[in-house]
Amino acid sequence: MNEKMTAPPSSSLANSATLSILAYCSSSILMTVTNKMVLSQFDFHMNFFLLSIQSFTAVVMLLLFKKLGLISFRNLNTNEAKKWFPISLGLVAMIYTGSKSLQFLSIPVYTIFKNLTVILIAYGEVLWFGAKVTPMMLLSFVFMVLSSVIAGWSDIAAFVPEDPTDLQFNPGYLWIAANCFSSAGYVLYMRKRIKHFNFKDFDTVYYNNLLSFPVMLALSFWLEGWVSGEFKSTFAPDVRQSLTVAIMFTGLSSFFISYGSAWCVRCTSSTTYSMVGSLNKLPVAASGILFLGDPATVGNVLGIFLGFIAGILYSYSKSDQAKKNLALANNSFLSKPLMAEFNNAMESPV
């Protein structure tokens, strides 16, 4: 019997690319909303401490679910942990460089450069995994960056001084460049290690959060003013209880986005994962205009429209590429028995 017949079908729920993308989108939007609530409503500045709490909560939830028999994942292996640790450092570098770039750049400018990460990841997959960047995919990248430029044009124009001689070098450009490369490296290397170790989704979530927690906590002690009283003033008695509840809720959200990210990277590709991460801002922006009273300017509406066009082009290019790969695989499978039959016919006597 052929052992391949016992493998689970690629159309199963656990291997569904569509479901993994939906899970990542919904968890990412939930994470954005909950983080926005904590960082804005409570004027919270201890980002690394918040991230360490989120990692700790995700690990506790995993261990609890495993003890209850609801899920299973591999125990921590020292050798695997050493090889996975650079991924955790990449996650920390991605977060830190992103926060530093936002200190110097406006959000629209940050978004434009951040979207260039998708292109870096796409060509990284060409080098590491032998993927292809089709002209349709490249066109979708252009539309995606163009949508960011148009949507944030008013803020970009305000960011640039009227007198060109007043234009000074902004260190935010160095930070956003570091963020793009660290983000691309993090996603690509995580995908490579997932395949190398044959990690399941919960294995990835467990290793990512367990290894990043001590790094995040150490950076919080070092950079976020624990000695100078930042922690005490942040958790003032009048907001302590409500802030703690909000932070714990973001911890629950972090568990879902950790799982959604691992699922999406495993079932799709690093480029698709990054593209979804860029495009999932569109439903948030659209809902803000429709339900939250955000101004519906020409730039906002056109930017959202071009963003959706970029998503459609990318989806079509991936679907067309999948069909071509399937046709090539079928031709390769059929060619061997057909050639054998042809050779037998030529060798047999008339």
Side-chain angles (χ1 to χ4, degrees):
M1 293 294 292
N2 190 347
E3 293 182 358
K4 293 183 178 180
M5 296 298 292
T6 63
S10 60
S11 59
S12 64
L13 295 180
N15 296 313
S16 171
T18 302
L19 286 179
S20 69
I21 290 173
L22 291 176
Y24 172 57
C25 281
S26 57
S27 61
S28 179
I29 292 172
L30 177 64
M31 191 72 188
T32 300
V33 172
T34 54
N35 278 346
K36 180 70 174 177
M37 177 181 63
V38 171
L39 296 174
S40 298
Q41 183 175 344
F42 294 97
D43 194 26
F44 195 88
H45 300 291
M46 304 179 69
N47 290 357
F48 279 120
F49 179 68
L50 177 63
L51 292 166
S52 65
I53 293 296
Q54 291 172 353
S55 296
F56 178 76
T57 304
V59 172
V60 170
M61 290 182 65
L62 284 169
L63 294 174
L64 177 62
F65 291 159
K66 185 177 183 179
K67 188 174 182 62
L68 294 174
L70 299 176
I71 62 174
S72 64
F73 53 88
R74 66 180 71 188
N75 296 323
L76 185 67
N77 179 282
T78 305
N79 184 47
E80 290 177 346
K82 289 179 181 179
K83 295 179 179 179
W84 191 270
F85 190 67
I87 298 176
S88 299
L89 291 181
L91 175 62
V92 174
M94 178 181 70
I95 295 170
Y96 182 70
T97 54
S99 63
K100 291 296 291 184
S101 59
L102 280 172
Q103 290 181 9
F104 300 98
L105 301 176
S106 67
I107 291 178
V109 174
Y110 169 84
T111 303
I112 291 168
F113 284 99
K114 184 68 176 174
N115 285 342
L116 297 178
T117 306
V118 180
I119 302 175
L120 287 176
I121 292 175
Y123 284 98
E125 286 197 317
V126 172
L127 296 175
W128 277 22
F129 303 105
K132 294 182 179 179
V133 177
T134 64
M136 187 72 72
M137 288 174 63
L138 196 58
L139 183 61
S140 72
F141 298 156
V142 172
F143 269 90
M144 181 187 62
V145 175
L146 187 61
S147 71
S148 300
V149 173
I150 293 175
W153 182 253
S154 59
D155 290 329
I156 297 169
F159 185 74
V160 179
E162 295 181 1
D163 188 356
T165 59
D166 294 334
L167 187 63
Q168 298 178 351
F169 176 75
N170 191 327
Y173 294 120
L174 288 178
W175 285 113
I176 192 61
N179 180 256
C180 289
F181 282 101
S182 61
S183 300
Y186 164 72
V187 174
L188 289 167
Y189 193 58
M190 182 171 68
R191 184 188 175 199
K192 193 175 186 68
R193 282 303 177 188
I194 287 174
K195 290 181 176 293
H196 177 75
F197 290 129
N198 194 25
F199 267 17
K200 306 301 181 185
D201 298 329
F202 286 118
D203 298 331
T204 304
V205 177
Y206 181 60
Y207 271 69
N208 254 351
N209 286 283
L210 184 65
L211 296 178
S212 63
F213 166 69
V215 179
M216 299 287 191
L217 190 60
L219 287 173
S220 178
F221 276 112
W222 181 34
L223 300 172
E224 295 182 335
W226 283 62
V227 178
S228 62
E230 179 70 22
F231 181 83
K232 186 176 181 180
S233 62
T234 299
F235 287 87
D238 56 331
V239 298
R240 185 176 300 160
Q241 183 175 358
S242 56
L243 177 57
T244 302
V245 172
I247 288 177
M248 294 307 296
F249 191 68
T250 66
L252 297 177
S253 303
S254 71
F255 171 78
F256 292 117
I257 194 170
S258 296
Y259 179 75
S261 299
W263 189 11
C264 187
V265 169
R266 179 179 61 82
C267 291
T268 58
S269 67
S270 305
T271 306
T272 300
Y273 167 79
S274 183
M275 190 72 171
V276 171
S278 297
L279 295 177
N280 67 6
K281 302 180 186 70
L282 299 176
V284 177
S287 62
I289 294 174
L290 294 174
F291 306 113
L292 301 179
D294 292 343
T297 64
V298 175
N300 287 342
V301 174
L302 185 58
I304 293 172
F305 176 74
L306 290 178
F308 278 114
I309 294 296
I312 292 172
L313 289 174
Y314 183 79
S315 300
Y316 178 80
S317 67
K318 295 298 289 185
S319 176
D320 184 61
Q321 190 176 17
K323 290 178 180 177
K324 290 179 180 178
N325 291 339
L326 181 62
L328 289 174
N330 289 336
N331 289 337
S332 176
F333 176 77
L334 292 174
S335 62
K336 293 181 179 180
L338 286 176
M339 287 299 296
E341 183 178 349
F342 175 77
N343 291 332
N344 290 334
M346 292 296 293
E347 293 174 359
S348 62
V350 178

